[in-house]
Amino acid sequence: LVDARLTGIGETNVPPEGHIIFDPPLKHYARVTDTGDICVRRLEDHKEIARVPCRHLGDIWLNGLSAGGRYLFFCAGGTNNCVWDLGKSEMVFRDLEFSGGQGMGHMADSFATAESDGSISIYDFESRKITRHPSQVSPGSMVMAMDSQGSRVACFNCQKLMVEIVEIRSGAVTASIKAPGCCGLMAWSQNGQFLAGGCRNTVYIWNVTTGELVQSRGSQDDRVLRLAF
């Protein structure tokens, strides 16, 4: 059974892609305002709880909002990635440039990236520290998602069409899964057993232990924009 609910956000026009994002528990949402700032509101009553003054940074693309509604991850000006602490009203990281993608942690209080040398870097928002771990991930792969325990990342290599599950501490590749196409999005199940991948207009779900394709579901017209279990 699908647990679904409809909640209005007081708008008649659908916000452009990248201009609105919700936290994992669906208690808060952030959206880019008409003036170019970011407004964070509670979903139940739409009361504004925080505002990020960022109109001077250029075009904004929202990437992630933490489960507690504290940290906001966004891209400014097309290239500079920033993390804002909504509780302290200050920047945690700014002007971060990545050679590949980045995977948010399940609670969205950290993210991981794959460096050009194959190492995995973890950016922790609370401590504001960056830790680099050597890994055996294939060159050119991008980190797409981090599991709920923060112990593994799912990486994708577009040239090989290969999904690789990497254990962060050891750097070992524990599973390699052939994908049917280029995946732009990935998400872990909360128990860490399954991984979903969005490839154009189709969602694929794999068992990360066996590499077996468990389910796939496609749409004729729409492409996959967000994934969550």
Side-chain angles (χ1 to χ4, degrees), residues 144-146 154 185-189 194-198 204 226-229:
M144 304 298 290
M146 188 190 303
L185 295 168
M186 287 187 180
W188 288 84
S189 63
F194 301 103
L195 181 73
Y204 298 89
R226 295 286 176 191
L227 284 175
F229 278 88

Side-chain angles (χ1 to χ4, degrees), residues 142 144 155-158 160-163 177-187 195-206 213 215-227:
M142 298 185 297
M144 304 298 290
C155 300
F156 184 71
N157 190 300
C158 228
K160 298 181 178 180
L161 298 182
M162 187 68 68
V163 180
I177 303 168
K178 187 70 174 179
C182 234
C183 292
L185 295 168
M186 287 187 180
L195 181 73
C199 304
R200 295 185 179 177
N201 63 345
T202 304
V203 175
Y204 298 89
I205 300 177
W206 297 282
L213 177 64
Q215 187 177 357
S216 65
R217 178 170 295 182
S219 169
Q220 291 184 350
D221 302 317
D222 301 328
R223 68 186 179 93
V224 180
L225 297 179
R226 295 286 176 191
L227 284 175

Side-chain angles (χ1 to χ4, degrees), residues 3-229:
D3 180 11
R5 57 175 169 155
L6 293 176
T7 303
I9 57 173
E11 299 287 341
T12 56
N13 296 321
V14 178
E17 185 180 351
H19 277 211
I20 188 168
I21 196 167
F22 297 82
D23 67 355
L26 292 178
K27 292 184 177 181
H28 306 90
Y29 67 95
R31 69 162 302 162
V32 180
T33 68
D34 293 337
T35 59
D37 293 330
I38 302 172
C39 176
V40 181
R41 298 179 182 271
R42 286 199 304 246
L43 192 58
E44 62 177 1
D45 58 7
H46 309 294
K47 181 179 179 180
E48 182 175 325
I49 59 173
R51 184 171 287 259
V52 182
C54 55
R55 68 187 70 178
H56 60 287
L57 298 177
D59 294 334
I60 301 297
W61 182 282
L62 301 176
N63 287 318
L65 180 61
S66 68
R70 178 175 176 182
Y71 298 107
L72 180 68
F73 178 36
F74 62 94
C75 180
T79 57
N80 297 323
N81 293 280
C82 306
V83 178
W84 183 270
D85 187 328
L86 295 164
K88 296 181 178 179
S89 296
E90 62 184 25
M91 199 75 80
V92 178
F93 293 109
R94 67 174 301 162
D95 300 333
L96 299 175
E97 296 185 11
F98 305 127
S99 57
Q102 61 279 332
M104 299 292 293
H106 177 68
M107 298 299 290
D109 55 5
S110 62
F111 66 81
T113 65
E115 307 296 342
S116 56
D117 61 0
S119 61
I120 303 293
S121 291
I122 306 296
Y123 295 72
D124 184 82
F125 301 164
E126 180 65 31
S127 66
R128 307 193 181 191
K129 292 182 179 179
I130 305 172
T131 307
R132 182 169 292 185
H133 303 269
S135 80
Q136 300 170 5
V137 67
S138 298
S141 296
M142 298 185 297
V143 172
M144 304 298 290
M146 188 190 303
D147 71 1
S148 61
Q149 302 299 316
S151 60
R152 296 173 298 171
V153 290
C155 300
F156 184 71
N157 190 300
C158 228
Q159 292 183 338
K160 298 181 178 180
L161 298 182
M162 187 68 68
V163 180
E164 293 181 323
I165 307 301
V166 183
E167 189 178 69
I168 294 175
R169 286 190 177 275
S170 68
V173 175
T174 60
S176 297
I177 303 168
K178 187 70 174 179
C182 234
C183 292
L185 295 168
M186 287 187 180
W188 288 84
S189 63
Q190 292 191 18
N191 63 9
Q193 184 178 356
F194 301 103
L195 181 73
C199 304
R200 295 185 179 177
N201 63 345
T202 304
V203 175
Y204 298 89
I205 300 177
W206 297 282
N207 183 313
V208 297
T209 302
T210 64
E212 176 188 3
L213 177 64
V214 178
Q215 187 177 357
S216 65
R217 178 170 295 182
S219 169
Q220 291 184 350
D221 302 317
D222 301 328
R223 68 186 179 93
V224 180
L225 297 179
R226 295 286 176 191
L227 284 175
F229 278 88

